[in-house]
Amino acid sequence: MAHKELNLLKLWLVEKKKTGKWLAEQLGKDQTTISKWCTNSNQPDIESIMRTAKLLAVDINDLLISNNVE
C-alpha cells in the first residue's frame, strides 16, 4: 500500500473547491468529524458517503475506489 495517505474525499473537496467546513454544514456533522475522514483517522458510514457523493456531484465509486494505478 504505497498510497496509504491517499484520501479521495480530500482530493474531491479540493477538486470541487469545497471545504471540510462546508461539507460539515451540509451533512450536519462536526468539522472535527470531517477532518478525521480527510486524514483517514476515521471512516464515514455508507449513508454519509452517499450524501457526500451527491453533494459533490460525483459517483459514489469516485469516493471509494482510486483509479490511480502506479
Side-chain angles (χ1 to χ4, degrees), residues 27-45:
L27 295 175
K29 304 276 186 189
D30 190 86
Q31 280 184 273
T32 305
T33 299
I34 305 303
S35 177
K36 287 180 180 180
W37 294 352
C38 288
T39 59
N40 291 328
S41 301
N42 201 344
Q43 298 300 314
D45 58 67

Side-chain angles (χ1 to χ4, degrees), residues 3 6 8 11 61-69:
H3 293 289
L6 179 68
L8 297 173
L11 292 174
N61 290 321
D62 293 335
L63 292 175
L64 299 172
I65 302 167
S66 174
N67 292 324
N68 189 9
V69 178

Side-chain angles (χ1 to χ4, degrees), residues 7-49:
N7 184 284
L8 297 173
L9 174 57
K10 189 182 336 181
L11 292 174
W12 278 111
L13 284 171
V14 170
E15 178 74 22
K16 298 292 184 166
K17 297 178 175 55
K18 302 293 184 186
T19 64
K21 179 180 179 181
W22 172 85
L23 184 59
E25 290 169 356
Q26 299 301 307
L27 295 175
K29 304 276 186 189
D30 190 86
Q31 280 184 273
T32 305
T33 299
I34 305 303
S35 177
K36 287 180 180 180
W37 294 352
C38 288
T39 59
N40 291 328
S41 301
N42 201 344
Q43 298 300 314
D45 58 67
I46 192 67
E47 182 181 334
S48 295
I49 294 171

